[in-house]
Amino acid sequence: MTAPSTLAWLAGYRFPAGEEEGPGQALLEAFRAPTGLRAGVAASGLDELTGLDLAYRMLWQRRLLFDVGQPLLPDATAWTA
């Protein structure tokens, strides 16, 4: 994916979805240092599907950051804002 299509795809995660406070904090802790998305989700203790869904939502919210010049794949590197 190119940067514009990555951002367009990520825009689907712009709306809040349920209770995110506790799981979100766990993800923020896991991404204090730049980490691959799957590895960070695993380190947070969340299951992969729930954790990746929330991680993408947090990327859209800019609570997590990533290199927009790189494809946003499940192993892309992310870090806390």
Side-chain angles (χ1 to χ4, degrees):
M1 278 186 220
T2 63
S5 63
T6 295
L7 294 176
W9 173 79
L10 195 57
Y13 287 94
R14 66 187 176 269
F15 301 109
E19 175 53 45
E20 298 176 353
E21 192 60 37
Q25 189 60 40
L27 282 176
L28 290 175
E29 292 291 326
F31 287 100
R32 285 185 182 252
T35 307
L37 286 172
R38 284 186 188 164
V41 167
S44 75
L46 299 173
D47 70 84
E48 187 171 5
L49 291 178
T50 301
L52 282 174
D53 183 67
L54 181 54
Y56 289 132
R57 194 169 309 286
M58 292 174 74
L59 287 165
W60 176 259
Q61 297 167 350
R62 295 191 177 154
R63 294 172 64 196
L64 292 177
L65 302 175
F66 70 104
D67 181 354
V68 296
Q70 298 297 316
L72 186 56
L73 302 172
D75 292 317
T77 301
W79 55 92
T80 56

PDB file of all heavy atoms in Angstrom, residues 9-10 13 20 23-24 27-28 31 36-38 40-41 44 46-66 72 74 76 78:
ATOM      1  N   TRP A   9      -7.365   3.573   4.204  1.00  0.00           N
ATOM      2  CA  TRP A   9      -7.780   2.328   4.855  1.00  0.00           C
ATOM      3  C   TRP A   9      -7.857   2.516   6.362  1.00  0.00           C
ATOM      4  O   TRP A   9      -8.815   2.103   7.005  1.00  0.00           O
ATOM      5  CB  TRP A   9      -6.797   1.216   4.503  1.00  0.00           C
ATOM      6  CG  TRP A   9      -7.038  -0.049   5.235  1.00  0.00           C
ATOM      7  CD1 TRP A   9      -7.983  -0.994   4.960  1.00  0.00           C
ATOM      8  CD2 TRP A   9      -6.342  -0.512   6.387  1.00  0.00           C
ATOM      9  NE1 TRP A   9      -7.906  -2.017   5.874  1.00  0.00           N
ATOM     10  CE2 TRP A   9      -6.905  -1.741   6.759  1.00  0.00           C
ATOM     11  CE3 TRP A   9      -5.292   0.000   7.140  1.00  0.00           C
ATOM     12  CZ2 TRP A   9      -6.457  -2.459   7.847  1.00  0.00           C
ATOM     13  CZ3 TRP A   9      -4.838  -0.721   8.222  1.00  0.00           C
ATOM     14  CH2 TRP A   9      -5.431  -1.941   8.556  1.00  0.00           C
ATOM     15  N   LEU A  10      -6.856   3.176   6.938  1.00  0.00           N
ATOM     16  CA  LEU A  10      -6.808   3.389   8.379  1.00  0.00           C
ATOM     17  C   LEU A  10      -7.961   4.275   8.854  1.00  0.00           C
ATOM     18  O   LEU A  10      -8.409   4.163   9.993  1.00  0.00           O
ATOM     19  CB  LEU A  10      -5.464   4.016   8.742  1.00  0.00           C
ATOM     20  CG  LEU A  10      -5.036   4.005  10.193  1.00  0.00           C
ATOM     21  CD1 LEU A  10      -5.000   2.580  10.735  1.00  0.00           C
ATOM     22  CD2 LEU A  10      -3.677   4.657  10.336  1.00  0.00           C
ATOM     23  N   TYR A  13     -10.944   3.191  10.976  1.00  0.00           N
ATOM     24  CA  TYR A  13     -10.794   2.980  12.420  1.00  0.00           C
ATOM     25  C   TYR A  13     -10.962   4.270  13.221  1.00  0.00           C
ATOM     26  O   TYR A  13     -10.603   4.328  14.384  1.00  0.00           O
ATOM     27  CB  TYR A  13      -9.417   2.377  12.716  1.00  0.00           C
ATOM     28  CG  TYR A  13      -9.310   0.942  12.303  1.00  0.00           C
ATOM     29  CD1 TYR A  13      -8.805   0.595  11.061  1.00  0.00           C
ATOM     30  CD2 TYR A  13      -9.737  -0.067  13.149  1.00  0.00           C
ATOM     31  CE1 TYR A  13      -8.723  -0.732  10.669  1.00  0.00           C
ATOM     32  CE2 TYR A  13      -9.655  -1.393  12.765  1.00  0.00           C
ATOM     33  CZ  TYR A  13      -9.145  -1.718  11.535  1.00  0.00           C
ATOM     34  OH  TYR A  13      -9.069  -3.027  11.155  1.00  0.00           O
ATOM     35  N   GLU A  20     -12.197   0.878  25.631  1.00  0.00           N
ATOM     36  CA  GLU A  20     -10.822   0.776  25.160  1.00  0.00           C
ATOM     37  C   GLU A  20      -9.798   1.201  26.202  1.00  0.00           C
ATOM     38  O   GLU A  20      -8.607   1.042  25.980  1.00  0.00           O
ATOM     39  CB  GLU A  20     -10.633   1.637  23.904  1.00  0.00           C
ATOM     40  CG  GLU A  20     -11.496   1.208  22.745  1.00  0.00           C
ATOM     41  CD  GLU A  20     -11.355   2.132  21.538  1.00  0.00           C
ATOM     42  OE1 GLU A  20     -10.701   3.178  21.639  1.00  0.00           O
ATOM     43  OE2 GLU A  20     -11.919   1.790  20.493  1.00  0.00           O
ATOM     44  N   PRO A  23      -7.440  -1.911  27.791  1.00  0.00           N
ATOM     45  CA  PRO A  23      -6.639  -2.482  26.705  1.00  0.00           C
ATOM     46  C   PRO A  23      -5.757  -1.439  26.020  1.00  0.00           C
ATOM     47  O   PRO A  23      -4.623  -1.729  25.643  1.00  0.00           O
ATOM     48  CB  PRO A  23      -7.682  -3.038  25.743  1.00  0.00           C
ATOM     49  CG  PRO A  23      -8.875  -3.305  26.597  1.00  0.00           C
ATOM     50  CD  PRO A  23      -8.866  -2.209  27.632  1.00  0.00           C
ATOM     51  N   GLY A  24      -6.252  -0.227  25.879  1.00  0.00           N
ATOM     52  CA  GLY A  24      -5.457   0.836  25.258  1.00  0.00           C
ATOM     53  C   GLY A  24      -4.217   1.153  26.064  1.00  0.00           C
ATOM     54  O   GLY A  24      -3.136   1.350  25.512  1.00  0.00           O
ATOM     55  N   LEU A  27      -1.633  -1.479  25.475  1.00  0.00           N
ATOM     56  CA  LEU A  27      -0.935  -1.289  24.203  1.00  0.00           C
ATOM     57  C   LEU A  27       0.069  -0.146  24.282  1.00  0.00           C
ATOM     58  O   LEU A  27       1.183  -0.250  23.765  1.00  0.00           O
ATOM     59  CB  LEU A  27      -1.930  -1.026  23.072  1.00  0.00           C
ATOM     60  CG  LEU A  27      -2.647  -2.245  22.524  1.00  0.00           C
ATOM     61  CD1 LEU A  27      -3.669  -1.825  21.471  1.00  0.00           C
ATOM     62  CD2 LEU A  27      -1.666  -3.239  21.925  1.00  0.00           C
ATOM     63  N   LEU A  28      -0.300   0.942  24.933  1.00  0.00           N
ATOM     64  CA  LEU A  28       0.648   2.053  25.070  1.00  0.00           C
ATOM     65  C   LEU A  28       1.911   1.609  25.794  1.00  0.00           C
ATOM     66  O   LEU A  28       3.023   1.989  25.413  1.00  0.00           O
ATOM     67  CB  LEU A  28      -0.009   3.228  25.805  1.00  0.00           C
ATOM     68  CG  LEU A  28      -1.095   3.975  25.032  1.00  0.00           C
ATOM     69  CD1 LEU A  28      -1.749   5.022  25.924  1.00  0.00           C
ATOM     70  CD2 LEU A  28      -0.523   4.610  23.776  1.00  0.00           C
ATOM     71  N   PHE A  31       4.167  -0.446  23.459  1.00  0.00           N
ATOM     72  CA  PHE A  31       4.794   0.282  22.355  1.00  0.00           C
ATOM     73  C   PHE A  31       5.634   1.469  22.819  1.00  0.00           C
ATOM     74  O   PHE A  31       5.898   2.379  22.041  1.00  0.00           O
ATOM     75  CB  PHE A  31       3.725   0.745  21.359  1.00  0.00           C
ATOM     76  CG  PHE A  31       3.163  -0.371  20.531  1.00  0.00           C
ATOM     77  CD1 PHE A  31       1.944  -0.941  20.851  1.00  0.00           C
ATOM     78  CD2 PHE A  31       3.857  -0.862  19.441  1.00  0.00           C
ATOM     79  CE1 PHE A  31       1.424  -1.976  20.100  1.00  0.00           C
ATOM     80  CE2 PHE A  31       3.350  -1.897  18.674  1.00  0.00           C
ATOM     81  CZ  PHE A  31       2.129  -2.460  19.002  1.00  0.00           C
ATOM     82  N   GLY A  36       7.129  -4.024  16.364  1.00  0.00           N
ATOM     83  CA  GLY A  36       6.211  -4.490  15.338  1.00  0.00           C
ATOM     84  C   GLY A  36       4.813  -4.623  15.921  1.00  0.00           C
ATOM     85  O   GLY A  36       4.651  -4.938  17.107  1.00  0.00           O
ATOM     86  N   LEU A  37       3.800  -4.377  15.108  1.00  0.00           N
ATOM     87  CA  LEU A  37       2.422  -4.401  15.613  1.00  0.00           C
ATOM     88  C   LEU A  37       2.063  -5.735  16.271  1.00  0.00           C
ATOM     89  O   LEU A  37       1.547  -5.754  17.385  1.00  0.00           O
ATOM     90  CB  LEU A  37       1.431  -4.081  14.492  1.00  0.00           C
ATOM     91  CG  LEU A  37       1.380  -2.616  14.072  1.00  0.00           C
ATOM     92  CD1 LEU A  37       0.521  -2.458  12.825  1.00  0.00           C
ATOM     93  CD2 LEU A  37       0.844  -1.760  15.198  1.00  0.00           C
ATOM     94  N   ARG A  38       2.319  -6.842  15.605  1.00  0.00           N
ATOM     95  CA  ARG A  38       1.971  -8.140  16.193  1.00  0.00           C
ATOM     96  C   ARG A  38       2.740  -8.391  17.479  1.00  0.00           C
ATOM     97  O   ARG A  38       2.184  -8.898  18.454  1.00  0.00           O
ATOM     98  CB  ARG A  38       2.248  -9.267  15.209  1.00  0.00           C
ATOM     99  CG  ARG A  38       1.228  -9.377  14.121  1.00  0.00           C
ATOM    100  CD  ARG A  38       1.486 -10.595  13.277  1.00  0.00           C
ATOM    101  NE  ARG A  38       0.601 -10.582  12.133  1.00  0.00           N
ATOM    102  CZ  ARG A  38       0.767 -11.305  11.077  1.00  0.00           C
ATOM    103  NH1 ARG A  38       1.786 -12.138  10.981  1.00  0.00           N
ATOM    104  NH2 ARG A  38      -0.085 -11.236  10.079  1.00  0.00           N
ATOM    105  N   GLY A  40       3.959  -6.159  19.558  1.00  0.00           N
ATOM    106  CA  GLY A  40       3.451  -5.268  20.598  1.00  0.00           C
ATOM    107  C   GLY A  40       2.123  -5.751  21.159  1.00  0.00           C
ATOM    108  O   GLY A  40       1.894  -5.702  22.368  1.00  0.00           O
ATOM    109  N   VAL A  41       1.258  -6.230  20.279  1.00  0.00           N
ATOM    110  CA  VAL A  41      -0.029  -6.767  20.723  1.00  0.00           C
ATOM    111  C   VAL A  41       0.202  -7.986  21.614  1.00  0.00           C
ATOM    112  O   VAL A  41      -0.405  -8.117  22.679  1.00  0.00           O
ATOM    113  CB  VAL A  41      -0.940  -7.102  19.528  1.00  0.00           C
ATOM    114  CG1 VAL A  41      -2.126  -7.946  19.947  1.00  0.00           C
ATOM    115  CG2 VAL A  41      -1.412  -5.820  18.848  1.00  0.00           C
ATOM    116  N   SER A  44       1.335  -6.987  24.977  1.00  0.00           N
ATOM    117  CA  SER A  44       0.299  -6.331  25.772  1.00  0.00           C
ATOM    118  C   SER A  44      -0.595  -7.332  26.499  1.00  0.00           C
ATOM    119  O   SER A  44      -1.318  -6.973  27.416  1.00  0.00           O
ATOM    120  CB  SER A  44      -0.575  -5.442  24.890  1.00  0.00           C
ATOM    121  OG  SER A  44      -1.460  -6.225  24.103  1.00  0.00           O
ATOM    122  N   LEU A  46      -3.101  -8.855  25.017  1.00  0.00           N
ATOM    123  CA  LEU A  46      -4.390  -8.911  24.324  1.00  0.00           C
ATOM    124  C   LEU A  46      -4.350 -10.003  23.259  1.00  0.00           C
ATOM    125  O   LEU A  46      -3.283 -10.320  22.734  1.00  0.00           O
ATOM    126  CB  LEU A  46      -4.689  -7.570  23.649  1.00  0.00           C
ATOM    127  CG  LEU A  46      -4.809  -6.361  24.565  1.00  0.00           C
ATOM    128  CD1 LEU A  46      -4.936  -5.097  23.743  1.00  0.00           C
ATOM    129  CD2 LEU A  46      -5.985  -6.523  25.498  1.00  0.00           C
ATOM    130  N   ASP A  47      -5.525 -10.561  22.927  1.00  0.00           N
ATOM    131  CA  ASP A  47      -5.536 -11.530  21.834  1.00  0.00           C
ATOM    132  C   ASP A  47      -5.259 -10.781  20.534  1.00  0.00           C
ATOM    133  O   ASP A  47      -5.497  -9.576  20.427  1.00  0.00           O
ATOM    134  CB  ASP A  47      -6.854 -12.311  21.784  1.00  0.00           C
ATOM    135  CG  ASP A  47      -8.013 -11.458  21.344  1.00  0.00           C
ATOM    136  OD1 ASP A  47      -8.211 -11.302  20.125  1.00  0.00           O
ATOM    137  OD2 ASP A  47      -8.716 -10.929  22.223  1.00  0.00           O
ATOM    138  N   GLU A  48      -4.730 -11.481  19.532  1.00  0.00           N
ATOM    139  CA  GLU A  48      -4.233 -10.832  18.325  1.00  0.00           C
ATOM    140  C   GLU A  48      -5.293 -10.030  17.578  1.00  0.00           C
ATOM    141  O   GLU A  48      -5.049  -8.890  17.187  1.00  0.00           O
ATOM    142  CB  GLU A  48      -3.595 -11.852  17.387  1.00  0.00           C
ATOM    143  CG  GLU A  48      -2.925 -11.202  16.199  1.00  0.00           C
ATOM    144  CD  GLU A  48      -2.104 -12.151  15.356  1.00  0.00           C
ATOM    145  OE1 GLU A  48      -2.105 -13.365  15.627  1.00  0.00           O
ATOM    146  OE2 GLU A  48      -1.475 -11.673  14.410  1.00  0.00           O
ATOM    147  N   LEU A  49      -6.471 -10.588  17.377  1.00  0.00           N
ATOM    148  CA  LEU A  49      -7.494  -9.871  16.605  1.00  0.00           C
ATOM    149  C   LEU A  49      -7.980  -8.617  17.322  1.00  0.00           C
ATOM    150  O   LEU A  49      -8.058  -7.543  16.735  1.00  0.00           O
ATOM    151  CB  LEU A  49      -8.668 -10.788  16.291  1.00  0.00           C
ATOM    152  CG  LEU A  49      -8.369 -11.909  15.297  1.00  0.00           C
ATOM    153  CD1 LEU A  49      -9.604 -12.776  15.099  1.00  0.00           C
ATOM    154  CD2 LEU A  49      -7.873 -11.366  13.982  1.00  0.00           C
ATOM    155  N   THR A  50      -8.292  -8.742  18.590  1.00  0.00           N
ATOM    156  CA  THR A  50      -8.746  -7.579  19.369  1.00  0.00           C
ATOM    157  C   THR A  50      -7.638  -6.544  19.467  1.00  0.00           C
ATOM    158  O   THR A  50      -7.874  -5.347  19.312  1.00  0.00           O
ATOM    159  CB  THR A  50      -9.177  -8.023  20.778  1.00  0.00           C
ATOM    160  OG1 THR A  50     -10.220  -8.979  20.654  1.00  0.00           O
ATOM    161  CG2 THR A  50      -9.652  -6.856  21.617  1.00  0.00           C
ATOM    162  N   GLY A  51      -6.422  -7.016  19.731  1.00  0.00           N
ATOM    163  CA  GLY A  51      -5.289  -6.107  19.894  1.00  0.00           C
ATOM    164  C   GLY A  51      -4.932  -5.371  18.620  1.00  0.00           C
ATOM    165  O   GLY A  51      -4.680  -4.165  18.654  1.00  0.00           O
ATOM    166  N   LEU A  52      -4.920  -6.069  17.479  1.00  0.00           N
ATOM    167  CA  LEU A  52      -4.618  -5.394  16.216  1.00  0.00           C
ATOM    168  C   LEU A  52      -5.710  -4.394  15.854  1.00  0.00           C
ATOM    169  O   LEU A  52      -5.422  -3.292  15.394  1.00  0.00           O
ATOM    170  CB  LEU A  52      -4.434  -6.400  15.082  1.00  0.00           C
ATOM    171  CG  LEU A  52      -3.090  -7.112  15.046  1.00  0.00           C
ATOM    172  CD1 LEU A  52      -3.097  -8.196  13.970  1.00  0.00           C
ATOM    173  CD2 LEU A  52      -1.946  -6.141  14.818  1.00  0.00           C
ATOM    174  N   ASP A  53      -6.967  -4.758  16.082  1.00  0.00           N
ATOM    175  CA  ASP A  53      -8.068  -3.834  15.814  1.00  0.00           C
ATOM    176  C   ASP A  53      -7.883  -2.548  16.617  1.00  0.00           C
ATOM    177  O   ASP A  53      -7.983  -1.450  16.087  1.00  0.00           O
ATOM    178  CB  ASP A  53      -9.399  -4.506  16.147  1.00  0.00           C
ATOM    179  CG  ASP A  53     -10.575  -3.615  15.805  1.00  0.00           C
ATOM    180  OD1 ASP A  53     -10.788  -3.358  14.607  1.00  0.00           O
ATOM    181  OD2 ASP A  53     -11.262  -3.171  16.739  1.00  0.00           O
ATOM    182  N   LEU A  54      -7.577  -2.694  17.901  1.00  0.00           N
ATOM    183  CA  LEU A  54      -7.384  -1.520  18.749  1.00  0.00           C
ATOM    184  C   LEU A  54      -6.114  -0.776  18.369  1.00  0.00           C
ATOM    185  O   LEU A  54      -6.091   0.458  18.366  1.00  0.00           O
ATOM    186  CB  LEU A  54      -7.357  -1.925  20.229  1.00  0.00           C
ATOM    187  CG  LEU A  54      -7.189  -0.790  21.227  1.00  0.00           C
ATOM    188  CD1 LEU A  54      -8.228   0.304  21.034  1.00  0.00           C
ATOM    189  CD2 LEU A  54      -7.249  -1.343  22.641  1.00  0.00           C
ATOM    190  N   ALA A  55      -5.059  -1.479  18.005  1.00  0.00           N
ATOM    191  CA  ALA A  55      -3.811  -0.817  17.598  1.00  0.00           C
ATOM    192  C   ALA A  55      -4.047   0.044  16.357  1.00  0.00           C
ATOM    193  O   ALA A  55      -3.583   1.186  16.293  1.00  0.00           O
ATOM    194  CB  ALA A  55      -2.720  -1.850  17.341  1.00  0.00           C
ATOM    195  N   TYR A  56      -4.784  -0.476  15.364  1.00  0.00           N
ATOM    196  CA  TYR A  56      -5.081   0.323  14.179  1.00  0.00           C
ATOM    197  C   TYR A  56      -5.922   1.547  14.548  1.00  0.00           C
ATOM    198  O   TYR A  56      -5.722   2.632  14.015  1.00  0.00           O
ATOM    199  CB  TYR A  56      -5.798  -0.517  13.116  1.00  0.00           C
ATOM    200  CG  TYR A  56      -4.906  -1.539  12.457  1.00  0.00           C
ATOM    201  CD1 TYR A  56      -5.323  -2.856  12.325  1.00  0.00           C
ATOM    202  CD2 TYR A  56      -3.657  -1.200  11.970  1.00  0.00           C
ATOM    203  CE1 TYR A  56      -4.512  -3.803  11.721  1.00  0.00           C
ATOM    204  CE2 TYR A  56      -2.842  -2.143  11.358  1.00  0.00           C
ATOM    205  CZ  TYR A  56      -3.273  -3.445  11.240  1.00  0.00           C
ATOM    206  OH  TYR A  56      -2.480  -4.374  10.633  1.00  0.00           O
ATOM    207  N   ARG A  57      -6.856   1.375  15.452  1.00  0.00           N
ATOM    208  CA  ARG A  57      -7.670   2.503  15.911  1.00  0.00           C
ATOM    209  C   ARG A  57      -6.775   3.557  16.580  1.00  0.00           C
ATOM    210  O   ARG A  57      -6.915   4.756  16.351  1.00  0.00           O
ATOM    211  CB  ARG A  57      -8.734   1.983  16.890  1.00  0.00           C
ATOM    212  CG  ARG A  57      -9.837   2.949  17.184  1.00  0.00           C
ATOM    213  CD  ARG A  57     -10.980   2.276  17.927  1.00  0.00           C
ATOM    214  NE  ARG A  57     -11.457   1.055  17.297  1.00  0.00           N
ATOM    215  CZ  ARG A  57     -12.197   0.985  16.183  1.00  0.00           C
ATOM    216  NH1 ARG A  57     -12.552   2.103  15.583  1.00  0.00           N
ATOM    217  NH2 ARG A  57     -12.585  -0.160  15.682  1.00  0.00           N
ATOM    218  N   MET A  58      -5.825   3.101  17.382  1.00  0.00           N
ATOM    219  CA  MET A  58      -4.918   4.023  18.077  1.00  0.00           C
ATOM    220  C   MET A  58      -3.939   4.683  17.106  1.00  0.00           C
ATOM    221  O   MET A  58      -3.515   5.815  17.332  1.00  0.00           O
ATOM    222  CB  MET A  58      -4.189   3.290  19.195  1.00  0.00           C
ATOM    223  CG  MET A  58      -5.135   2.886  20.328  1.00  0.00           C
ATOM    224  SD  MET A  58      -4.354   1.876  21.587  1.00  0.00           S
ATOM    225  CE  MET A  58      -3.364   3.117  22.420  1.00  0.00           C
ATOM    226  N   LEU A  59      -3.596   3.999  16.021  1.00  0.00           N
ATOM    227  CA  LEU A  59      -2.776   4.629  14.983  1.00  0.00           C
ATOM    228  C   LEU A  59      -3.542   5.776  14.337  1.00  0.00           C
ATOM    229  O   LEU A  59      -3.000   6.856  14.113  1.00  0.00           O
ATOM    230  CB  LEU A  59      -2.374   3.593  13.925  1.00  0.00           C
ATOM    231  CG  LEU A  59      -1.315   2.586  14.365  1.00  0.00           C
ATOM    232  CD1 LEU A  59      -1.265   1.417  13.395  1.00  0.00           C
ATOM    233  CD2 LEU A  59       0.048   3.255  14.473  1.00  0.00           C
ATOM    234  N   TRP A  60      -4.820   5.547  14.027  1.00  0.00           N
ATOM    235  CA  TRP A  60      -5.635   6.614  13.449  1.00  0.00           C
ATOM    236  C   TRP A  60      -5.741   7.794  14.409  1.00  0.00           C
ATOM    237  O   TRP A  60      -5.675   8.946  13.998  1.00  0.00           O
ATOM    238  CB  TRP A  60      -7.029   6.101  13.087  1.00  0.00           C
ATOM    239  CG  TRP A  60      -7.886   7.225  12.598  1.00  0.00           C
ATOM    240  CD1 TRP A  60      -8.838   7.895  13.302  1.00  0.00           C
ATOM    241  CD2 TRP A  60      -7.807   7.860  11.321  1.00  0.00           C
ATOM    242  NE1 TRP A  60      -9.374   8.901  12.534  1.00  0.00           N
ATOM    243  CE2 TRP A  60      -8.749   8.899  11.310  1.00  0.00           C
ATOM    244  CE3 TRP A  60      -7.032   7.649  10.184  1.00  0.00           C
ATOM    245  CZ2 TRP A  60      -8.939   9.722  10.200  1.00  0.00           C
ATOM    246  CZ3 TRP A  60      -7.230   8.472   9.081  1.00  0.00           C
ATOM    247  CH2 TRP A  60      -8.170   9.490   9.103  1.00  0.00           C
ATOM    248  N   GLN A  61      -5.889   7.520  15.680  1.00  0.00           N
ATOM    249  CA  GLN A  61      -6.032   8.569  16.695  1.00  0.00           C
ATOM    250  C   GLN A  61      -4.694   9.231  17.030  1.00  0.00           C
ATOM    251  O   GLN A  61      -4.650  10.168  17.811  1.00  0.00           O
ATOM    252  CB  GLN A  61      -6.625   7.976  17.974  1.00  0.00           C
ATOM    253  CG  GLN A  61      -8.013   7.431  17.806  1.00  0.00           C
ATOM    254  CD  GLN A  61      -8.443   6.574  18.983  1.00  0.00           C
ATOM    255  OE1 GLN A  61      -7.653   6.231  19.861  1.00  0.00           O
ATOM    256  NE2 GLN A  61      -9.715   6.214  19.000  1.00  0.00           N
ATOM    257  N   ARG A  62      -3.630   8.719  16.460  1.00  0.00           N
ATOM    258  CA  ARG A  62      -2.267   9.189  16.695  1.00  0.00           C
ATOM    259  C   ARG A  62      -1.817   8.998  18.135  1.00  0.00           C
ATOM    260  O   ARG A  62      -0.958   9.721  18.626  1.00  0.00           O
ATOM    261  CB  ARG A  62      -2.093  10.630  16.234  1.00  0.00           C
ATOM    262  CG  ARG A  62      -2.257  10.764  14.751  1.00  0.00           C
ATOM    263  CD  ARG A  62      -1.847  12.100  14.263  1.00  0.00           C
ATOM    264  NE  ARG A  62      -1.976  12.119  12.810  1.00  0.00           N
ATOM    265  CZ  ARG A  62      -2.167  13.198  12.128  1.00  0.00           C
ATOM    266  NH1 ARG A  62      -2.252  14.358  12.725  1.00  0.00           N
ATOM    267  NH2 ARG A  62      -2.268  13.140  10.819  1.00  0.00           N
ATOM    268  N   ARG A  63      -2.411   8.022  18.801  1.00  0.00           N
ATOM    269  CA  ARG A  63      -1.926   7.614  20.122  1.00  0.00           C
ATOM    270  C   ARG A  63      -0.738   6.677  19.933  1.00  0.00           C
ATOM    271  O   ARG A  63       0.107   6.552  20.807  1.00  0.00           O
ATOM    272  CB  ARG A  63      -3.042   6.946  20.912  1.00  0.00           C
ATOM    273  CG  ARG A  63      -4.172   7.927  21.247  1.00  0.00           C
ATOM    274  CD  ARG A  63      -5.362   7.247  21.852  1.00  0.00           C
ATOM    275  NE  ARG A  63      -5.041   6.646  23.129  1.00  0.00           N
ATOM    276  CZ  ARG A  63      -5.815   5.729  23.712  1.00  0.00           C
ATOM    277  NH1 ARG A  63      -6.925   5.329  23.132  1.00  0.00           N
ATOM    278  NH2 ARG A  63      -5.483   5.229  24.868  1.00  0.00           N
ATOM    279  N   LEU A  64      -0.697   6.011  18.786  1.00  0.00           N
ATOM    280  CA  LEU A  64       0.466   5.260  18.325  1.00  0.00           C
ATOM    281  C   LEU A  64       0.894   5.889  17.009  1.00  0.00           C
ATOM    282  O   LEU A  64       0.058   6.395  16.260  1.00  0.00           O
ATOM    283  CB  LEU A  64       0.134   3.785  18.098  1.00  0.00           C
ATOM    284  CG  LEU A  64      -0.189   2.935  19.311  1.00  0.00           C
ATOM    285  CD1 LEU A  64      -0.568   1.521  18.868  1.00  0.00           C
ATOM    286  CD2 LEU A  64       0.989   2.882  20.270  1.00  0.00           C
ATOM    287  N   LEU A  65       2.187   5.848  16.729  1.00  0.00           N
ATOM    288  CA  LEU A  65       2.726   6.430  15.509  1.00  0.00           C
ATOM    289  C   LEU A  65       3.364   5.346  14.653  1.00  0.00           C
ATOM    290  O   LEU A  65       3.743   4.293  15.165  1.00  0.00           O
ATOM    291  CB  LEU A  65       3.761   7.491  15.856  1.00  0.00           C
ATOM    292  CG  LEU A  65       3.271   8.642  16.725  1.00  0.00           C
ATOM    293  CD1 LEU A  65       4.426   9.551  17.087  1.00  0.00           C
ATOM    294  CD2 LEU A  65       2.172   9.418  16.040  1.00  0.00           C
ATOM    295  N   PHE A  66       3.483   5.616  13.356  1.00  0.00           N
ATOM    296  CA  PHE A  66       4.162   4.717  12.426  1.00  0.00           C
ATOM    297  C   PHE A  66       4.713   5.552  11.282  1.00  0.00           C
ATOM    298  O   PHE A  66       4.343   6.714  11.115  1.00  0.00           O
ATOM    299  CB  PHE A  66       3.206   3.632  11.906  1.00  0.00           C
ATOM    300  CG  PHE A  66       2.146   4.141  10.963  1.00  0.00           C
ATOM    301  CD1 PHE A  66       2.250   3.916   9.603  1.00  0.00           C
ATOM    302  CD2 PHE A  66       1.051   4.841  11.438  1.00  0.00           C
ATOM    303  CE1 PHE A  66       1.274   4.389   8.729  1.00  0.00           C
ATOM    304  CE2 PHE A  66       0.070   5.316  10.582  1.00  0.00           C
ATOM    305  CZ  PHE A  66       0.183   5.092   9.223  1.00  0.00           C
ATOM    306  N   LEU A  72       1.516  -0.247   5.845  1.00  0.00           N
ATOM    307  CA  LEU A  72       1.002  -0.541   7.183  1.00  0.00           C
ATOM    308  C   LEU A  72       0.527  -1.987   7.221  1.00  0.00           C
ATOM    309  O   LEU A  72      -0.643  -2.297   7.053  1.00  0.00           O
ATOM    310  CB  LEU A  72      -0.125   0.416   7.554  1.00  0.00           C
ATOM    311  CG  LEU A  72      -0.648   0.304   8.979  1.00  0.00           C
ATOM    312  CD1 LEU A  72       0.488   0.471   9.991  1.00  0.00           C
ATOM    313  CD2 LEU A  72      -1.724   1.332   9.235  1.00  0.00           C
ATOM    314  N   PRO A  74       0.658  -5.914   9.280  1.00  0.00           N
ATOM    315  CA  PRO A  74       0.574  -6.342  10.681  1.00  0.00           C
ATOM    316  C   PRO A  74       1.915  -6.373  11.415  1.00  0.00           C
ATOM    317  O   PRO A  74       1.940  -6.372  12.645  1.00  0.00           O
ATOM    318  CB  PRO A  74      -0.031  -7.746  10.594  1.00  0.00           C
ATOM    319  CG  PRO A  74      -0.806  -7.724   9.338  1.00  0.00           C
ATOM    320  CD  PRO A  74      -0.015  -6.866   8.403  1.00  0.00           C
ATOM    321  N   ALA A  76       4.315  -3.973  10.770  1.00  0.00           N
ATOM    322  CA  ALA A  76       4.879  -2.635  10.695  1.00  0.00           C
ATOM    323  C   ALA A  76       5.276  -2.161  12.089  1.00  0.00           C
ATOM    324  O   ALA A  76       4.663  -2.524  13.081  1.00  0.00           O
ATOM    325  CB  ALA A  76       3.869  -1.672  10.073  1.00  0.00           C
ATOM    326  N   ALA A  78       5.553   0.369  15.134  1.00  0.00           N
ATOM    327  CA  ALA A  78       4.777   1.461  15.729  1.00  0.00           C
ATOM    328  C   ALA A  78       5.388   1.814  17.072  1.00  0.00           C
ATOM    329  O   ALA A  78       6.140   1.023  17.660  1.00  0.00           O
ATOM    330  CB  ALA A  78       3.317   1.063  15.903  1.00  0.00           C
TER     331      ALA A  78
END
